[in-house]
Amino acid sequence: MTKLLWGFTLGLLTGLLLAPEKGSETRRRISRKANDLKDRFDDFVDSVSERFDAFTSEVEDMAVNTGSQARSFAGDIRNGAM
């Protein structure tokens, strides 16, 4: 994913720099595209962060549930229920 993002960025900048426009317009276009790319990257990072947080919460819940089940099972064995 990172190589694809870098390739896209380099291709975009190369295309903009070689475009037959005034320098000021080219710089404005580069600035707009860079800001757009930054916004997309920030959205991507936020999405990954949210997924990681959800995964972490799910794993924590599973760990608590497994611990409770293990204690219950150990209590059953001590009480001779098995």
Side-chain angles (χ1 to χ4, degrees):
M1 182 70 178
T2 303
K3 290 180 182 181
L4 179 66
L5 186 60
W6 277 112
F8 174 76
T9 303
L10 291 175
L12 178 69
L13 290 175
T14 301
L16 288 173
L17 290 173
L18 296 177
E21 295 177 342
K22 292 172 57 177
S24 60
E25 181 58 30
T26 299
R27 285 189 295 275
R28 267 194 294 270
R29 287 182 65 195
I30 289 172
S31 179
R32 281 191 304 248
K33 293 293 182 180
N35 285 333
D36 182 47
L37 190 59
K38 180 191 172 295
D39 291 342
R40 287 182 180 195
F41 183 74
D42 288 344
D43 291 344
F44 171 74
V45 169
D46 289 343
S47 174
V48 169
S49 178
E50 288 172 6
R51 289 180 184 176
F52 182 77
D53 290 344
F55 175 75
T56 301
S57 177
E58 190 174 317
V59 169
E60 287 173 349
D61 291 345
M62 288 172 59
V64 167
N65 188 26
T66 301
S68 296
Q69 288 177 351
R71 282 188 293 280
S72 175
F73 181 71
D76 289 347
I77 290 176
R78 273 186 246 130
N79 294 328
M82 297 203 85

